[in-house]
Structures are given as C-alpha cells and as structure tokens.
Amino acid sequence: MHVHGPRGGPCGDRTPRGGGPGRGRPHPHPLLRGRGPGHHRRGGGRVRPGSPEGGDGHDPGGHHRGRRRRRPHRPPVGGHERGDGPLGLRERRVPLPHPGRGAEEAGRPQAPGCPHPPHPGDHGPGAGLPPALLRRAVHRLVLVGGGHAHLAVLASLVESPRPPGEVVLVSEDRHHWYSGRVPAHLRGELEPRELQFDLAALARAAGVEFVEARAAAICRAPGSGYLVHLEGEPDDPLRAAALSLDVGSVPRGARLPGVAEHALAVRPMARARELRERLDTVTRDRPRDTEVPAVVVGGGAAGVEVALALHARITELGRSPAVRILEAGPHILPGWRPKARRRAMDILRRRGVEVETGIRVVEVEPHAVVVERDVGGLQSAPRAGPVREPGLLAVWLTGAAPPPLLAASELPLDDDGYLEVDTTLRATDGAPVWGGGDCISVAGHPPLPKAGVQPVRQGPVLAANLRAHLEGAGDADDGSGKAGEAGGAESDGASAGKAGSRGAPPRHFEPDPTFLALLDTSDGRALLRWRGLCLHTRWARWLKDRIDGRFVERYRSLES
Ligand SMILES: Cc1cc2nc3c(=O)[nH]c(=O)nc-3n(C[C@H](O)[C@H](O)[C@H](O)COP(=O)(O)OP(=O)(O)OC[C@H]3O[C@@H](n4cnc5c(N)ncnc54)[C@H](O)[C@@H]3O)c2cc1C
C-alpha cells in the first residue's frame, strides 16, 4: 500500500498566504539572500562546536571499492567557485532549537509542513528567479541527510566529471558520524573528530551547496518539484526539482515518558559525544567502592556493543560497573542464528553484563527506569509491573523506526512508514525522488536489516542513477528553464532514462539481507558473524579495524 502525506496534514494546506517566495514579491528570492562564505545564518544562531576537519567512517561489509584517485574540483554548471554561491546557499546554517536531538525525540510538536505555500502564480522550482538562475533551479537536486549512501554520491561528484544541474546537501549536522567507531569513542580511545566526516568540506570538494539544517517536511510544489521545509524556517522552503533522502532512522519508543528528557542515545550518532561525557561525569562522581548502575534498553547489535563499551569504560575509570541489557523480545540479537546468539550471551555473562529479556521499559526517570515484565514468557498484555529499577544512566538503543520527516511529507511510504523505492532506489510512484539507507524499503523485497552496510552497497547505485537523472535533465533543457515545468513532478525526472538522452539506463540494487557482522566486544577482540560462521578473536577485531580504516581513509581523502 502506498501512503502519501495526508492531504489535510502537514502538506495538505494549500491555502495561499502572504510571505511566501513568489513572483513580484517585494523582497529578493530567499535563495538569493544571505550570501557569503562559511555557514549561512538566516536568523542568527551559533555554529556548534566541532572539529574543523572531519573524521571517520566505516564499510561494515567491505563493499566500498571505489577509486581512490582524486580529480580536480570542477565547479558546478553556472561556474561559481567555492565560498560564495550565486544562490547564496553554500554552507548555509539554520540553527536547530535543540542541537543534536530531533524535535520528535524531544517530544515537541512536529514542524508544520507546508504552512506557507508559494504564491499562486509561482510555478515550479525555479519560479521567480532570473532566467540564468532559473535554469539551475529547475534542475536542482536536493540531497536530504548526510548518510552513508549520500557519502558515495558526493564521492562520485568529486571523482567523476560533474553532471549539469545544481546539487544541494541538507544535513542537520555538519558531520557524518561513523557508528562503527562509537564503542571505541565510549571507551575513551577515540575523540569525536575521529568519528566524523566533515560533510561541508566533502560537499565543497564535490561542488555541492551545503545547508546545515533539519528538513521538517517535504511537500510537492505547485506545477512540479518539491519544497523542502527547514526546521525553524517555515516561510523559506528550499526548492527542488529532484530529491534524494538518506536520513537514517530513529529509535523506537522515543516518545515514551521521560525518554527524551532522561535517556541517552546514539541516534543521531552525534549524541554519542553526549553519552560519553555523561558516562564519564557520572562515573567519576561515584565513590570508588560503589557500583555504577547503567541500563541499556535494547539488545540488538548496537545494544550489545554499547553495553560492553560502558562496562569497559567504567572499569577503566576505576569504578565497579553494573551494566544491564533490558530486551523486550524473547532473546537478544534478533535475526542472528542461535549459535551466534549463544556466543554473544557467553561473552556478556563472562564480562558481568546482565541480560534480561521479556522486559519493557515504559518510562525513564532521572536515575531509574520503570519496567513491565512479560508474564510466563508471553509477549502480550497483561504484563507484571510497573516496577522502578535503578539506572544512573539509561541508554536508549531500541530498534529502528522511520524518521518523522517521512510521515510529515508528501512521499510514497510503505506500511511501516519508510520511503518505498524500487530497485533503482527511486520512489515507487515514479516521482523524481530517490533514497538510500535505513529510511527506505525496497518494494517487493523483505525489509533489509538496518545496518550501515546497506547504504554502503546502495551508494554506487544511487550515485549512478542520480547522475543519470541530472544528465538526462540537462539534455531535456532547451535553455528556457522550462524543463522542470513540463509535466509535473512525475514526468520531471523521467528524462533520465529516455532514449536519446545522455543519461544512462538506471542501475539496479540487489537487496541482500546477508552481511558480515563485526561486533566490537571492547576486549581487543570482535565477534564475527558470517552466515553460519561465528568467531570471537583478535583477528576479527583486526579485520574490523582494517575495514573501518579503509572507509575512513577513502572519505577523508576527498574532503577539501
Ligand atoms: C552504536 C551503533 C553501532 C553500529 N555499528 C554498526 C556497524 O558496525 N555496522 C553496520 O553495518 N551498522 C552499524 N550500525 C547501524 C548503522 O549505524 C545504521 O544502520 C546506519 O548508520 C544507517 O545509515 P544511513 O545512511 O541510513 O543513515 P545515517 O548514517 O544514520 O545518516 C543519516 C544522516 O541524516 C541526518 N538527518 C536525519 N534526519 C535529518 C533531517 N530531517 N534533515 C537533515 N538531516 C537529517 C542525520 O543527522 C545523519 O547524519 C550501528 C548503529 C549503532 C547505533
């Protein structure tokens, strides 16, 4: 079933109101304002602290085998050089009300979606712009989110001849945070800069405009194209002829009472830094002869890794760890074979990490969690409880849920709320919308595991198909700037695969749920799982570090 954003919902309000960007408005077009190098600030705000140079990434399955050669930077069509984009977009920054934490996570009301649609006479993504800029605006591709697949798209733009059209990257964080190294960061072995890629620098190298802002809703523009509404800027949407989404996922149950206020998280990954700081503060504040009770909610791969890392860090700081994993399901590591699961349980038991299954955390308090237990091993109501259990730290690592941006937008979604794409990674309704990573599902295929390896595999396919779209759109342009207006959103990107266009035929992604899993067990070893094989060795850790290191090197070498 395809579910579009509700008509009466965020994107359904089409009543014209004043203040929208439109033809004949007294103020300049919003995209022409705020020029200048560095981060653009519309409405002030402080750039969050972070290292000027970016950091790390990983290739969990070792699937990224792109070229290492770096080609000289080519400015995008239109010829502007870095720093001062003619559309005034380059490295624009829209301040977030709560840095590093989604509005949805914090339990705040969602952004209003499309509250200020464009002026009725304003058609298409470039309307209101001078002809020279119009041509670029109607071909603008907006990449929403700086996830793994979009790293590959940026790399492709750095390494191969730049296709026509303008590309903009919108990311709520200036950095891509690399999850594979979160355990090492929590143990105190790696600093934040060693977990980050500098998206702004990568975008600059790729000739891509960078906008640091959270996308709150994506709505269809009248005529064709899309309006990307940025949080905190409801009157000033970003216009797009085509879109690609790689916005990851959010933890399930993040709206339960107290979770936003008291639980720690690593999604978005930027919050790993906050977790590390709290962990160190709480641990150091405890007297040496007392325990540090920490609760990890969720027994997936991330929960197991983080629990072991917390245990190692608390021990390292000379305190006594009392780390527990609370898992709602009947066992940890869902989707893993029993043999591998037993191996993981054995590692946890030997380390002294307690695991309880069939237990649901229903509320988080400042120093405790409120839980209910399944009765007789049955995962159904009624459950025993609620009971309050101690936890100086509660880390929320439940499974993945779709980012609320999707429900707030006019996009084709599957029954679970993920962007539904076909094997070309294009939206199943044929709109010029693509996607990759945790936020998509591939129609006709079982859901893929939410792991970084999937967007790493999708990256080259996405890059090729977006490139073909841009090249096809460039061909379709007769110089009048009307290409994007021709046939509405559905036909807008269809030229990518049409006969006679320079755009290549679309490439296909082959969904494969199997992948090499390498869990950092925080003891110098890693737990390797590959089909029926399961090893817990130093060699597995060496392999993980090597795969991670290669991924890091690849993207670091592209940052300008
Ligand atoms: C502790 C931990 C360890 C993990 N280790 C591994 C591992 O070893 N191997 C593995 O395969 N997987 C691992 N995973 C899972 C992996 O991190 C995710 O599956 C992967 O990051 C998903 O990649 P993605 O490209 O979909 O999105 P992400 O990498 O999550 O990137 C999405 C980006 O979009 C940005 N964004 C989100 N919403 C918006 C918005 N509205 N507007 C603008 N920007 C937005 C985010 O800030 C983020 O930068 C781990 C997860 C955790 C929590």
Side-chain angles (χ1 to χ4, degrees):
M1 186 178 73
H2 296 180
V3 182
H4 286 266
R7 272 286 135 196
C11 296
D13 178 4
R14 294 286 183 210
T15 313
R17 294 180 212 167
R23 207 183 293 277
R25 300 276 146 170
H27 57 272
H29 190 281
L31 299 185
L32 294 170
R33 292 204 305 257
R35 294 180 186 191
H39 280 85
H40 289 250
R41 299 162 196 229
R42 296 191 303 177
R46 190 172 62 85
V47 176
R48 262 177 284 156
S51 84
E53 294 305 317
D56 300 340
H58 69 302
D59 179 358
H63 290 268
H64 216 117
R65 299 187 188 93
R67 286 169 296 166
R68 289 171 175 278
R69 188 159 55 90
R70 180 176 168 186
R71 296 195 181 179
H73 164 65
R74 292 162 198 255
V77 168
H80 67 274
E81 288 295 340
R82 70 182 57 167
D84 195 5
L87 297 186
L89 273 172
R90 183 147 296 182
E91 293 195 25
R92 190 174 64 163
R93 180 175 191 274
V94 178
L96 300 178
H98 194 144
R101 191 178 298 201
E104 61 286 348
E105 277 183 81
R108 294 189 299 278
Q110 285 302 290
C114 298
H116 300 289
H119 187 272
D122 179 3
H123 295 296
L129 292 177
L133 297 180
L134 175 61
R135 186 163 54 250
R136 293 180 53 197
V138 295
H139 293 160
R140 182 180 297 137
L141 164 67
V142 176
L143 309 173
V144 185
H148 295 69
H150 280 173
L151 290 180
V153 173
L154 293 173
S156 152
L157 294 175
V158 175
E159 294 174 328
S160 301
R162 185 70 164 70
E166 180 179 343
V167 185
V168 178
L169 171 65
V170 176
S171 172
E172 64 181 355
D173 198 308
R174 185 190 165 113
H175 298 103
H176 171 99
W177 287 72
Y178 167 53
S179 59
R181 288 194 164 174
V182 164
H185 174 59
L186 296 179
R187 288 196 301 271
E189 292 167 11
L190 297 177
E191 289 308 310
R193 66 179 179 78
E194 293 170 285
L195 278 77
Q196 303 163 336
F197 291 115
D198 187 338
L199 289 171
L202 198 49
R204 197 162 50 234
V208 167
E209 306 277 359
F210 181 71
V211 177
E212 188 177 341
R214 182 182 297 130
I218 297 169
C219 305
R220 286 179 185 272
S224 71
Y226 289 87
L227 297 175
V228 181
H229 289 267
L230 306 179
E231 197 167 290
E233 300 235 339
D235 295 338
D236 214 355
L238 184 58
R239 292 165 168 275
L243 293 166
S244 178
L245 275 75
D246 185 8
V247 288
S249 54
V250 297
R252 274 203 295 262
R255 289 167 187 257
L256 285 169
V259 173
E261 295 84 356
H262 308 303
L264 294 154
V266 293
R267 270 199 182 111
M269 293 296 160
R271 294 193 64 194
R273 180 169 47 191
E274 183 191 349
L275 170 56
R276 154 90 185 274
E277 286 166 4
R278 279 278 295 282
L279 171 65
D280 281 11
T281 306
V282 164
T283 305
R284 289 195 168 109
D285 284 352
R286 298 289 281 178
R288 286 209 167 251
D289 53 351
T290 53
E291 286 187 334
V292 181
V295 169
V296 173
V297 185
V304 170
E305 273 195 324
V306 168
L308 290 167
L310 297 185
H311 190 281
R313 181 64 178 167
I314 294 168
T315 306
E316 164 83 15
L317 293 176
R319 308 300 193 277
S320 178
V323 181
R324 296 172 72 200
I325 295 176
L326 305 183
E327 163 60 44
H331 45 67
I332 61 164
L333 297 173
W336 284 45
R337 296 184 189 200
K339 181 179 152 197
R341 229 185 268 142
R342 279 197 300 276
R343 194 70 186 261
M345 281 297 289
D346 192 45
I347 294 166
L348 291 163
R349 203 168 16 242
R350 283 167 191 253
R351 201 71 53 78
V353 173
E354 193 187 320
V355 177
E356 191 173 348
T357 56
I359 181 168
R360 279 156 213 273
V361 176
V362 294
E363 185 173 352
V364 180
E365 297 180 348
H367 298 303
V369 290
V370 180
V371 301
E372 291 177 354
R373 287 183 169 81
D374 292 341
V375 179
L378 297 175
Q379 286 196 282
S380 59
R383 296 195 292 264
V387 175
R388 184 171 288 105
E389 309 227 345
L392 272 182
L393 288 168
V395 187
W396 202 258
L397 280 167
T398 50
L405 166 66
L406 300 183
S409 301
E410 289 182 311
L411 298 167
L413 307 181
D414 71 4
D415 287 345
D416 294 325
Y418 292 99
L419 175 68
E420 192 177 65
V421 298
D422 59 25
T423 52
T424 68
L425 303 176
R426 184 170 182 164
T428 47
D429 65 356
V433 176
W434 285 259
D438 281 5
C439 70
I440 64 159
S441 72
V442 183
H445 293 268
L448 290 168
K450 301 298 182 197
V453 65
Q454 298 300 344
V456 167
R457 289 172 179 174
Q458 291 154 2
V461 176
L462 187 64
N465 291 344
L466 292 177
R467 174 177 292 277
H469 168 76
L470 287 170
E471 288 173 350
D475 268 5
D477 180 20
D478 61 2
S480 68
K482 300 271 183 205
E485 300 179 345
E490 274 72 17
S491 63
D492 192 30
S495 56
K498 74 181 171 64
S501 85
R502 280 184 292 130
R507 274 182 65 180
H508 291 266
F509 166 67
E510 290 173 22
D512 179 0
T514 57
F515 64 97
L516 172 69
L518 286 160
L519 262 62
D520 179 344
T521 50
S522 289
D523 58 352
R525 291 181 283 179
L527 181 63
L528 177 153
R529 186 216 58 183
W530 171 246
R531 299 184 189 270
L533 181 68
C534 181
L535 300 172
H536 182 222
T537 62
R538 291 191 181 279
W539 174 80
R541 176 62 186 278
W542 172 86
L543 182 64
K544 176 174 171 53
D545 289 346
R546 188 175 165 81
I547 291 171
D548 289 351
R550 283 191 171 176
F551 192 82
V552 169
E553 270 172 39
R554 166 163 169 68
Y555 288 105
R556 275 242 171 110
S557 71
L558 298 177
E559 289 173 2
S560 66

